[in-house]
Amino acid sequence: MWLEQQRAETELSVTPISLRESQEWQNQRGSIRHWTGGFFEISGLETNSAAACLDGVQQPIINQPEIGVLGFIVASGQQEASWLMQAKPEPGNVHGVQLAPTVQATYSNYSRVHGGAVTHYLDFFSSDSISYESYSLQSEQGTRFYQKFNRNAVCRVPFPIACPTDAYCWHTSGLLKGLLLEDYSVNTDARSVIVTSPWSLLTTHPVPFAGSCGKAWPELETSYFHPVQPGLTKHIVRRLHGLRRAIDLKTKHIALEGLRHWQLTENTITCQTGGAFDVEFYSVDAPTREKPTWDQPLLRSTKRDHVILFAQQQSGVVRFLLRFSFEIGLSGGVELGPTYKKESLAPSPGWIEEAIEQGYGRMRATVDQSDEGGRFMKSRCRYSIVELPKDFPTESDEISFWVTLAELESLTQASRLLTNEARSAISLLLAFA
């Protein structure tokens, strides 16, 4: 397999160092900053909010105001489309190399602040004359990034174009769908772009969810072709803005040394009360990257996360449960998330906790992923789709929405609405398209 070959041939080496040993980063006025002033910084964040789960939080956070580019080039085909994948080595990835979009670059990377090589195919996503199949702004993880967004875009070409290096390879939609259910294979950025693209690009049949893959979960076809509620997206967006006004999240950047319950040493920034992550420093050798050597801070998760999207047949139609997620790094503190995220400031309703603890429901799809290997060190998360029994009693509240597959697709087209974890969970459903 091409990905396994890339992993075997990529001489990625990641070595822990102290901040004092870093050649590129230093503590400046209470934040860890790059000497160029580019890329990102690790700063302290303090919150004030009418929502108890968001009020009085203090923690380190990645402050990266640049908007990155995540883009796929997709080639038309008679039977199915093909996607230009990049085998991208990231220091925090499990297995080192995962499948990434054609272009995955921050502004500092593609403007070559590091003095490295050019970003291949960038011109496909930097011209006003390009017509995109999809284009939206999507957030990164709000538990670790401060109001960070990327442009998610798909550019279509009539036929596959030449690859500049062995690190790029065309994958058919059929092959890509299978990889969506392979552990540690398709990275979180690729999943985000795929989910926010037209889902018809993934199908290997005349219509999504109606072919052989759909037979593994035949009810998805009805859910996909069920009429969308008129004005659903606008309704959810109004609820989102109203919730943001109600919780009134205010944030303030403070010095890392001033964070309660966090200790800053030469080697780490450590939570003394058992937090979800520590900040550590690493030296990286990656000969195939734009810059082959560098060092940087990475957020190392101390616990394995779990994200679940519940499904249930209701009135003969499969629907999926989305809930507003409260995270300090999201704009206004809220976006629409999956049913459940283990690492969460807000507790889940009792019936959801009971369903998970008692193992109710049928596991329809699951995958292990190490998210955002360019900023996190082996941040492991299990993503799952669980179908509850038809007669399992569920409860409604003001922050929950049961939506069909067709409605899910319409929501993914909106900017700044779905969390990173919601998009990654939804990507599992596209394996059935």
Side-chain angles (χ1 to χ4, degrees):
M1 179 182 175
W2 173 72
L3 177 58
E4 294 300 329
Q5 181 181 354
Q6 290 298 309
R7 287 172 172 168
E9 295 177 356
T10 299
E11 299 173 357
L12 179 66
S13 174
V14 184
T15 306
I17 61 172
S18 67
L19 177 58
R20 179 173 47 82
E21 294 174 290
S22 172
Q23 302 297 308
E24 304 180 51
W25 299 79
Q26 56 187 325
N27 188 340
Q28 297 180 349
R29 301 184 299 279
S31 296
I32 307 300
R33 294 187 171 99
H34 193 261
W35 70 271
T36 63
F39 299 101
F40 62 95
E41 66 180 49
I42 307 292
S43 59
L45 193 72
E46 180 180 60
T47 68
N48 179 273
S49 175
C53 63
L54 296 177
D55 188 47
V57 178
Q58 289 190 1
Q59 68 168 72
I61 202 158
I62 301 171
N63 187 11
Q64 186 175 1
E66 303 174 350
I67 294 178
V69 176
L70 305 178
F72 264 116
I73 298 175
V74 177
S76 303
Q78 291 185 343
Q79 297 281 327
E80 56 187 318
S82 293
W83 301 67
L84 184 54
M85 308 294 299
Q86 178 186 177
K88 194 172 185 69
E90 298 277 14
N93 280 344
V94 173
H95 303 322
V97 179
Q98 292 183 11
L99 297 175
T102 315
V103 174
Q104 177 186 318
T106 66
Y107 174 79
S108 290
N109 281 127
Y110 67 73
S111 60
R112 303 169 69 186
V113 169
H114 49 40
V118 298
T119 299
H120 294 298
Y121 302 111
L122 181 64
D123 54 326
F124 283 84
F125 303 96
S126 58
S127 172
D128 294 335
S129 63
I130 299 291
S131 178
Y132 296 105
E133 293 289 315
S134 59
Y135 186 101
S136 61
L137 280 179
Q138 303 294 343
S139 61
E140 298 225 35
Q141 291 86 348
T143 57
R144 289 161 169 74
F145 283 96
Y146 181 71
Q147 298 183 12
K148 175 71 171 68
F149 292 92
N150 294 308
R151 285 190 289 141
N152 285 228
V154 169
C155 174
R156 197 162 187 172
V157 295
F159 48 82
I161 56 181
C163 298
T165 72
D166 292 340
Y168 294 83
C169 184
W170 288 95
H171 285 59
T172 64
S173 293
L175 178 58
L176 179 55
K177 286 192 298 182
L179 291 168
L180 289 172
L181 296 183
E182 287 197 8
D183 294 343
Y184 306 118
S185 292
V186 181
N187 77 8
T188 183
D189 293 323
R191 291 177 184 274
S192 179
V193 183
I194 292 167
V195 164
T196 57
S197 71
W199 291 1
S200 59
L201 292 176
L202 260 294
T203 188
T204 53
H205 304 277
V207 292
F209 302 100
S212 58
C213 291
K215 292 177 182 176
W217 194 354
E219 295 83 3
L220 291 182
E221 182 176 2
T222 301
S223 185
Y224 187 70
F225 288 98
H226 195 270
V228 174
Q229 299 178 57
L232 174 68
T233 300
K234 289 183 179 179
H235 170 67
I236 291 178
V237 169
R238 284 196 298 270
R239 293 275 294 274
L240 174 63
H241 290 324
L243 192 55
R244 285 172 174 169
R245 289 191 296 271
I247 67 175
D248 189 25
L249 176 65
K250 294 181 175 64
T251 57
K252 179 174 68 174
H253 290 282
I254 62 176
L256 291 167
E257 292 86 349
L259 292 174
R260 290 190 306 270
H261 310 306
W262 290 83
Q263 182 179 20
L264 177 61
T265 70
E266 278 193 353
N267 297 319
T268 64
I269 305 171
T270 305
C271 183
Q272 298 175 301
T273 56
F277 67 87
D278 297 330
V279 182
E280 298 179 344
F281 306 93
Y282 296 87
S283 174
V284 184
D285 290 304
T288 61
R289 286 290 299 266
E290 299 94 336
K291 185 181 180 184
T293 61
W294 72 91
D295 63 68
Q296 68 172 97
L298 291 168
L299 274 58
R300 183 183 62 80
S301 294
T302 58
K303 305 170 185 177
R304 182 186 290 266
D305 203 1
H306 192 187
V307 168
I308 301 174
L309 183 63
F310 274 172
Q312 187 180 47
Q313 279 203 55
Q314 300 174 351
S315 302
V317 179
V318 174
R319 288 180 166 87
F320 303 87
L321 181 59
L322 299 173
R323 291 174 51 80
F324 280 127
S325 181
F326 299 85
E327 301 174 15
I328 65 171
L330 297 174
S331 292
V334 188
E335 283 186 357
L336 194 58
T339 311
Y340 171 83
K341 176 174 165 57
K342 183 178 180 181
E343 183 194 322
S344 177
L345 294 172
S348 296
W351 73 269
I352 292 179
E353 295 283 356
E354 179 187 0
I356 294 170
E357 290 175 3
Q358 298 300 320
Y360 292 123
R362 177 181 177 183
M363 182 70 71
R364 284 293 192 172
T366 189
V367 72
D368 285 338
Q369 181 63 30
S370 57
D371 286 336
E372 195 45 62
R375 297 291 179 266
F376 309 156
M377 172 51 73
K378 294 182 172 54
S379 173
R380 290 177 168 87
C381 181
R382 171 159 290 184
Y383 290 93
S384 302
I385 308 289
V386 176
E387 185 179 16
L388 296 173
K390 296 178 185 179
D391 58 353
F392 184 87
T394 64
E395 300 175 13
S396 299
D397 57 39
E398 67 281 1
I399 66 169
S400 299
F401 303 88
W402 284 99
V403 296
T404 66
L405 200 53
E407 290 164 346
L408 262 187
E409 182 177 22
S410 68
L411 292 173
T412 63
Q413 310 301 308
S415 292
R416 304 172 183 255
L417 179 58
L418 290 170
T419 67
N420 182 283
E421 289 81 4
R423 282 174 271 130
S424 286
I426 293 168
S427 74
L428 274 63
L429 289 169
L430 295 183
F432 299 92

